[in-house]
Amino acid sequence: MPTVVLMDASLSMTRPVSLEGSEEFQRKNLAVHGLTMLFEHMATNYRLEFTALVVFSSLWELMVPFTRDYNTLQEALNNLEDYDKTCLEAALQGVSNIVQQEWGSTCPCQVVLVTDGALGIGRGSLRHSLATMKQRGEDKKFPLPFPFSSKMYIMCIANAEELQATDAMDNLEQLLALSGGDGQIFTMDGPLCLKSVQAMFGKLIDQAYTPFHAVLRCGNLASDVQVFPRPEPVLLDEEVDPIPKSVLTELEIVGFIEIGDIASPPVLSRHLVLPIAVNKEADEVGTGTTEDMEEETSANQMAGKSPNFCVLLHGSLKVEGMVALVQLAPDWYGMLYSQADSKKKSNLMMSLFDPGPLPLPWLGKMSQLGPVSDALENPYGEDDSKSPFPVQPKNKRSYAQNVTVWIKASGLQTDVQKILRNARKLPEKTQTFYKELNRLRKAALAFGFWELLKGVAELLERECTLLPDSAHPDAAFQLSHAAQQLKLASTGDSQYAAFEHNITPMLTDFSGGGSGADRM
């Protein structure tokens, strides 16, 4: 998931920090040192992460938009200037705008806030923002929680004692709670020095930016892979003592299934699956020397020439049009499949289902799926003309009934054409005409599809004008009546747009009613 680094560039960050036996450092220098360590780690072990750098004081500025070029991020960090007072609320609003413009509101994001704990004075300070948060209108709402899923990590260039001496720690904890509670506040242990800031950012790296390595197995074949972004633990919705469930580092492929059978299932998250060459030294933080980089490049070239099960699996799934079902943990499954970025490039992806033995009801229980060869007869037929899915439930549900569903445009077109066919056979098909008309009317009202009612009314009026001279007189009356009732329903008037209301045939002299009046 993308990361936004929110760097405090206010004057309070320039406060000096005395280091033994050396020149004075500013808190800003310690923050830059910690972020340099983070960027070096991500450049080496977390290269696919998109990161943006935002600095703030009373205003905010996007220094580097989302990128994977950590040299650009480092250069901007080294050229950081000092500004005026702290105004965190405006910066958080800026982060919200940046993420939504780049990724929308469906992509989860991580926010790393680097500050010294001096959260401003007076109007615009965090203390003032939190105190006045409930007294605002809709147009001036506090930016937290973000409209997208997020985790906030607050890196304080201060120790806990310093923050607790004021109300800074309470304000930061309240800020973290407003963001959704996912994240953590990190403080420096002991004196403010380079060693302490390294330890603090090391904890952040361990918690949020450690690559997830696993072994992908299928029978006797195996491959070391990296899953990116790292799968998050899932909190099972249990009544007593919810337990987080994590993906194991042993991923076992339990079978293969056609894409058409698995369709487009609901998933918790999607991840890239990348083959890796086993290299323990690569996990160490640091850029390394030029010789080390050349050796790493040589090793990667050698690994690219070696046979790899992950590459074989990706190519097979792509050619055969199938997906692989993979067991992530006990009673937790996912699927591996090939997804194309363009005509020439595709990636091996893994999607995680909801934990449980029955994540996809139309497949039945995962534990009961088996090879086609075990069946008495081929469930797909000799010419692959049928499918064993969806699995039909043994007992018919009491609420099961025929309902109108328009998933594709062809379904809606068929229903409208059915009404028009019956309209051309009036008055013989009067009952069928009104039955189909009421079915479409109720579905349109349920969906709020007012335009459909108006459109069908215009079609019926057109049919009325196209009636031949030999048509029965009652046909024109019924078409005009039906069109008028649909138009009244399309206005949303409570009397005519009631869901329970049905359009009944117009009683005319030709149909034996004598009065010609509408009877609703």
Side-chain angles (χ1 to χ4, degrees), residues 61-297:
E61 180 183 357
L62 177 62
M63 298 291 290
V64 182
F66 285 101
T67 181
R68 288 172 173 164
D69 185 356
Y70 289 97
N71 290 328
T72 304
L73 288 163
Q74 187 62 55
E75 185 178 349
L77 199 62
N78 293 334
N79 297 328
L80 202 62
E81 297 181 6
D82 303 324
Y83 296 96
D84 51 3
K85 70 172 188 175
T86 304
C87 183
L88 187 54
E89 180 177 348
L92 293 173
Q93 185 62 57
V95 170
S96 179
N97 295 339
I98 292 167
V99 173
Q100 289 185 85
Q101 288 173 6
E102 185 75 22
W103 305 99
S105 57
T106 58
C107 180
C109 182
Q110 297 187 127
V111 179
V112 179
L113 170 61
V114 183
T115 182
D116 60 343
L119 304 174
I121 300 173
R123 189 176 183 84
S125 66
L126 181 60
R127 186 184 300 105
H128 179 268
S129 297
L130 295 175
T132 60
M133 188 173 57
K134 297 181 180 179
Q135 304 166 8
R136 310 183 186 187
E138 287 294 323
D139 57 332
K140 295 183 179 180
K141 287 179 64 177
F142 192 72
L144 294 182
F146 291 123
F148 48 86
S149 177
S150 65
K151 284 189 175 183
M152 179 176 286
Y153 298 101
I154 303 175
M155 315 302 293
C156 295
I157 310 301
N159 51 45
E161 293 77 11
E162 182 182 347
L163 296 174
Q164 290 169 354
T166 62
D167 60 350
M169 180 61 83
D170 294 334
N171 289 332
L172 290 175
E173 288 176 350
Q174 191 175 349
L175 185 73
L176 188 64
L178 285 173
S179 71
D182 289 338
Q184 190 175 337
I185 299 173
F186 293 90
T187 59
M188 297 175 65
D189 297 329
L192 304 187
C193 60
L194 296 177
K195 186 177 180 181
S196 297
V197 81
Q198 286 177 356
M200 180 176 69
F201 275 86
K203 293 177 183 177
L204 171 66
I205 290 170
D206 291 341
Q207 182 166 336
Y209 295 102
T210 303
F212 185 88
H213 292 168
V215 178
L216 180 63
R217 297 187 184 278
C218 181
N220 295 323
L221 299 173
S223 175
D224 292 289
V225 296
Q226 178 182 350
V227 179
F228 181 87
R230 54 179 297 131
E232 296 292 333
V234 176
L235 197 63
L236 298 181
D237 188 14
E238 297 181 356
E239 294 182 1
V240 181
D241 192 19
I243 305 170
K245 196 164 189 174
S246 301
V247 176
L248 301 179
T249 55
E250 292 280 339
L251 305 177
E252 185 76 28
I253 293 176
V254 295
F256 300 88
I257 191 169
E258 292 185 3
I259 291 178
D261 289 334
I262 206 161
S264 181
V267 298
L268 294 175
S269 57
R270 297 185 305 160
H271 308 264
L272 275 171
V273 179
L274 306 169
I276 57 173
V278 180
N279 183 9
K280 297 181 179 178
E281 295 178 358
D283 292 337
E284 296 180 3
V285 176
T287 54
T289 63
T290 305
E291 293 181 359
D292 293 337
M293 295 297 289
E294 290 177 355
E295 289 179 4
E296 182 183 351
T297 303

Side-chain angles (χ1 to χ4, degrees), residues 19-75:
L19 299 179
E20 295 181 3
S22 66
E23 60 179 315
E24 284 190 348
F25 272 73
Q26 296 177 353
R27 297 190 184 223
K28 181 180 76 171
N29 301 130
L30 295 179
V32 169
H33 181 77
L35 286 174
T36 298
M37 172 182 168
L38 175 64
F39 290 159
E40 288 179 352
H41 169 80
M42 294 170 75
T44 306
N45 302 298
Y46 227 64
R47 298 174 183 172
L48 296 176
E49 183 81 345
F50 280 98
T51 306
L53 177 62
V54 178
V55 299
F56 73 97
S57 56
S58 59
L59 302 174
W60 63 272
E61 180 183 357
L62 177 62
M63 298 291 290
V64 182
F66 285 101
T67 181
R68 288 172 173 164
D69 185 356
Y70 289 97
N71 290 328
T72 304
L73 288 163
Q74 187 62 55
E75 185 178 349

Side-chain angles (χ1 to χ4, degrees), residues 364-380:
K365 288 186 176 181
M366 290 289 183
S367 59
Q368 294 180 355
L369 293 175
V372 174
S373 57
D374 286 357
L376 296 177
E377 59 180 22
N378 191 339
Y380 291 94

Side-chain angles (χ1 to χ4, degrees), residues 257-258 260-262 363 378-381 384-391:
I257 191 169
E258 292 185 3
D261 289 334
I262 206 161
L363 295 184
N378 191 339
Y380 291 94
D384 289 340
S385 59
K386 59 181 182 178
S387 172
F389 306 106
V391 175

Side-chain angles (χ1 to χ4, degrees), residues 467-489:
L467 286 173
D469 295 337
S470 59
H472 195 283
D474 194 37
F477 285 107
Q478 298 297 344
L479 288 175
S480 299
H481 167 65
Q484 181 188 11
Q485 294 297 311
L486 287 180
K487 282 188 174 181
L488 290 172

